[in-house]
Structures are given as structure tokens and as C-alpha cells.
């Protein structure tokens, strides 16, 4: 999301929030590609090769077994792909593939979002309430959560603020309203047309915590949405989850431009993109988060209401330093060539 778009986006959200949103402070930064592989320490802990392939960004301590208490992510990491060098968290999503008319698949790479530099990856946001006053509590060591459902194939039961936006140009003009709030541009499903500027996929996490559990069996129950209203309106958290968290949001800019050739699209005109869990609908779009900031760095940045990828409270690194951070696949798999089938789909 462009910073200049804050004012434009205000028209797409309730009037009482508009003025606050237009001046809201939010951390927005690049986390470049760390590795692409079938590992998922939340849903498939300890399993070498999980059911579907993911793109992972952040600290290089990422692995199949990351105990929420014993595993000290900042201590185990030697580098991070994120702009802020004290952020060793891991952020990961499913991969998007293009299925050609001949039945073969190719991974869709990601563009780096406007105003940022790096290699593929995810735009990460940490957003405090828009009113400029309400405090939020940074996540604790060992905290992790999941949003979305990889098995979902209809809109029924989908969590809030998961969406896709089809852009007509790479400069994101027209930009549209706030993420997942523009009925003219946002869809829960994958777009059913060619997108000359690529597809932006958004993931927004819950913002209320029970204050006790770093995780839960479904990786969701320990967090919740406000009891009524919304996080953006500084609405109260439910009594069961009283601790107000920053809003974590991912934007993934899928670069679909190389596939905008009608001759390789399905003959029936159907949309040809599929997520790595064999989801052509897009309703299974989901994201995982494991907290790994060093010390109290995130709390300091939130208290200072830092904006974008510069913050007086934090250490930063150059794009070259961030993209130099890499992790080898646990099991070698082709991630960039044309494939006859999706990597080990069992769903």
C-alpha cells in the first residue's frame, strides 16, 4: 500500500475513521525471499516436506521445528531478509502458480512493492490504532499465529480482511481504497480476468490476545478480533482476549504479467492461477506468523509510532544486506521451472 494513498483510502472506510486513517502511522517495510520450500513449523511441525510449498521471509533460523518457548529465534538467527535488522520474525504464505493451457505449472514470482527495494518476498506492516493515542502491546517471544484456512474453497467461513486486488498498471493507478475495503477492486476470490499490473494479495491478522497463550492448537483461538466495530476504529477487545496487539498485515504483489498471453490461458476462458494447496478459488489464501524481534525493539517502535521503513528506534540494513540472507531448501525441489504437477499436493 502506498503511503500517499492514505488520504485516497479514507473514502473507502467509515466516515468516523477517515480523518484518523489519513494521518495514521504504520510501519511498512520489505522482507525479501529467504527460501521457497515445503516446510511449515506451525501446521506441520517437525515434518520434512509439508503438504504444500510456501514462500518464507525473515530470519534464517526458520526450520521445521521451532518450539514456541525453547527456541530463541533472534539468538539462533544470523541474518534476516527484512529491512529492520532486529526483526528475525518469520512470515510465510502459500505460493501462487500459473496453470497453462497444456496443463503445466509455473510459480508466479513477486514484485517488490512501491517505494521499497529487495527481491520478491512480502511487504510487512505493523499498525497501531489510527487515533494516534491508543497503546498496543508487542508480541512476546514464542508468539505465533495463523490466519485463513488452506482447505477453504468458498467464501463461507473466511476470516476478515483476506483479499485480492487486480491492478491495471504496475504503478498501482488507480490505487483504490483501503485494503479489502474497496468493493470495486477487492475480491476474496482470485480475480477472474487478466491483471496488467499484477495481483496484490492481502492478509490481515487479528489484533486481540488472551494475554496468556503464545499459541493454541488451531493457531487461532488465542487471538481474536474486536468485540464490535473494528481495530481501525480503536474498538475494544473482547473480555476473553483483552490485550490489544498491533495489526500485522502482509501484502504480496504477484507478478502475473508474464502470463498475460491469452494463447496460454485455458481455452474456456477460466482464470488460470492456483495456490500451492491446489486452490483455484483463492478462498484458501492464508498466512503464518512467528514473532522473532530482538529484545524490546518492536515495542519501542510501536510506542514511537514509527512510519514506513525508517525508524529512529530501530536499526536498519541495506537492501543488498537483506537479500544476501538466504537459506537452503531442506529438500531440493525445482521452484522456478515449468512443472507437470504442483509440488506434493495432498489436499
Amino acid at each position: 500500500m502506498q503511503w500517499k494513498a492514505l488520504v485516497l483510502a479514507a473514502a473507502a472506510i467509515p466516515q468516523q475513521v477517515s480523518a484518523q486513517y489519513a494521518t495514521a502511522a504504520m510501519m511498512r517495510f520489505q522482507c525479501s525471499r529467504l527460501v521457497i520450500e515445503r516446510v511449515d513449523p506451525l501446521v506441520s511441525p517437525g515434518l520434512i516436506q509439508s503438504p504444500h510449498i510456501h514462500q518464507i521471509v525473515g530470519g534464517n533460523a526458520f526450520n521445521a521445528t521451532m518450539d514456541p518457548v525453547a527456541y530463541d529465534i533472534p539468538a539462533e538467527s544470523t541474518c534476516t531478509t527484512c529491512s529492520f535488522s532486529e526483526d528475525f520474525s518469520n512470515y510465510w504464505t502459500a505460493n501462487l502458480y500459473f496453470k497453462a493451457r497444456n496443463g503445466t505449472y509455473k510459480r508466479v514470482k513477486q514484485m517488490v512493492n512501491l517505494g521499497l527495494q529487495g527481491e520478491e518476498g512480502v511487504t510487512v506492516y505493523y499498525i497501531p490504532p489510527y487515533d494516534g493515542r491508543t497503546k498496543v502491546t508487542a508480541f512476546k517471544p514464542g508468539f505465533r499465529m495463523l490466519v485463513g484456512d488452506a482447505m477453504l474453497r468458498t467464501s463461507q467461513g473466511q476470516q476478515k480482511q483476506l483479499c485480492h486486488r487486480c491492478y491495471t498498471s504496475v504503478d498501482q493507478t488507480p490505487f483504490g481504497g483501503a485494503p479489502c475495503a474497496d468493493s470495486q477492486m477487492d475480491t476474496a476470490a482470485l480475480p477472474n480476468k487478466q491483471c496488467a499490473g499484477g495481483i496484490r494479495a492481502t492478509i490481515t491478522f487479528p489484533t486481540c490476545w488472551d494475554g496468556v497463550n503464545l499459541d493454541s492448537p488451531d493457531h487461532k483461538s488465542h487471538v481474536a478480533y474486536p468485540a464490535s466495530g473494528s481495530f481501525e476504529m480503536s474498538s475494544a477487545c473482547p473480555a476473553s482476549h483483552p490485550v490489544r496487539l498491533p495489526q500485522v498485515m502482509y501484502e504480496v504483489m504477484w507478478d502475473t504479467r508474464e502470463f498475460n498471453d491469452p494463447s496460454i490461458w485455458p481455452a474456456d476462458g477460466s482464470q488460470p492461477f492456483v495456490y500451492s494447496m491446489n486452490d483455484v478459488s483463492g478462498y484458501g489464501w492464508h498466512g503464518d506468523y512467528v514473532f522473532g524481534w530482538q529484545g524490546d525493539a518492536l515495542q519501542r517502535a510501536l510506542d514511537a509510532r514509527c512510519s514506513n521503513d525508517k525508524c529512529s528506534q530501530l536499526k536498519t540494513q541495506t537492501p543488498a544486506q537483506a537479500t544476501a540472507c538466504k537459506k537452503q531448501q531442506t529438500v531440493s525441489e525445482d521452484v522456478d521451472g515449468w512443472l507437470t504437477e504442483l509440488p506434493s499436493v495432498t489436499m
Side-chain angles (χ1 to χ4, degrees):
M1 185 171 56
Q2 293 169 276
W3 187 249
K4 69 178 183 180
L6 289 172
V7 176
L8 298 176
I13 55 179
Q15 186 175 359
Q16 63 267 39
V17 184
S18 296
Q20 296 171 342
Y21 187 79
T23 58
M26 56 183 72
M27 297 167 64
R28 172 189 184 266
F29 57 94
Q30 168 72 10
C31 287
S32 293
R33 169 180 169 177
L34 176 70
V35 65
I36 294 174
E37 67 173 345
R38 284 194 285 126
V39 170
D40 189 337
L42 261 68
V43 178
S44 306
L47 182 64
I48 302 302
Q49 296 213 293
S50 59
H52 62 271
I53 202 162
H54 301 92
Q55 62 146 341
I56 300 103
V57 304
N60 69 341
F62 180 84
N63 64 67
T65 305
M66 300 173 75
D67 184 272
V69 177
Y71 197 64
D72 186 339
I73 294 173
E76 296 291 336
S77 298
T78 59
C79 66
T80 177
T81 69
C82 296
S83 302
F84 293 117
S85 57
E86 295 166 280
D87 182 12
F88 299 100
S89 306
N90 286 117
Y91 314 87
W92 67 97
T93 74
N95 278 282
L96 187 67
Y97 285 82
F98 173 79
K99 184 178 183 181
R101 185 176 297 189
N102 65 7
T104 60
Y105 298 86
K106 190 173 184 183
R107 184 178 71 87
V108 180
K109 296 183 178 181
Q110 304 96 51
M111 293 181 279
V112 176
N113 217 334
L114 295 179
L116 301 173
Q117 293 179 285
E119 178 192 355
E120 297 196 71
V122 178
T123 309
V124 176
Y125 292 75
Y126 285 84
I127 310 172
Y130 296 162
D131 62 10
R133 302 182 309 273
T134 302
K135 297 289 186 180
V136 290
T137 300
F139 307 97
K140 304 302 181 186
F143 184 92
R144 64 269 321 271
M145 58 181 167
L146 163 69
V147 68
D149 182 347
M151 301 298 291
L152 202 63
R153 297 296 180 267
T154 68
S155 60
Q156 186 175 1
Q158 190 177 38
Q159 287 181 266
K160 294 180 180 180
Q161 295 173 296
L162 298 168
C163 68
H164 303 85
R165 182 170 295 186
C166 179
Y167 278 117
T168 56
S169 65
V170 291
D171 64 1
Q172 300 180 20
T173 303
F175 180 78
C180 304
D182 191 322
S183 61
Q184 300 302 309
M185 297 185 70
D186 294 324
T187 57
L190 281 162
N192 59 3
K193 58 185 178 182
Q194 291 190 5
C195 302
I199 299 171
R200 188 186 76 188
T202 300
I203 292 171
T204 310
F205 287 83
T207 55
C208 300
W209 177 42
D210 66 14
V212 177
N213 298 292
L214 299 174
D215 196 5
S216 49
D218 62 357
H219 314 295
K220 298 179 180 182
S221 299
H222 60 307
V223 290
Y225 296 98
S228 62
S230 68
F231 171 83
E232 294 83 357
M233 297 168 62
S234 302
S235 300
C237 285
S240 58
H241 296 74
V243 180
R244 196 189 302 266
L245 301 170
Q247 186 177 69
V248 175
M249 185 172 77
Y250 303 168
E251 287 179 344
V252 180
M253 308 298 298
W254 299 114
D255 191 356
T256 58
R257 292 174 296 172
E258 70 172 289
F259 307 109
N260 285 343
D261 176 357
S263 70
I264 60 174
W265 276 48
D268 63 3
S270 59
Q271 79 84 17
F273 295 101
V274 53
Y275 278 117
S276 51
M277 57 283 187
N278 201 24
D279 174 24
V280 298
S281 71
Y283 294 121
W285 177 231
H286 61 286
D288 302 72
Y289 173 72
V290 171
F291 173 78
W293 283 78
Q294 199 167 48
D296 65 348
L298 180 59
Q299 188 67 63
R300 295 197 315 269
L302 292 167
D303 290 346
R305 276 184 150 68
C306 291
S307 289
N308 296 315
D309 60 347
K310 300 292 188 294
C311 177
S312 63
Q313 299 294 317
L314 298 176
K315 299 175 184 177
T316 59
Q317 60 181 347
T318 66
Q321 289 172 316
T323 57
C325 185
K326 291 286 188 287
K327 186 176 179 65
Q328 294 295 315
Q329 289 180 318
T330 307
V331 176
S332 180
E333 282 189 294
D334 183 7
V335 297
D336 289 321
W338 284 95
L339 307 174
T340 57
E341 60 183 3
L342 293 175
S344 190
V345 167
T346 59
M347 296 185 174

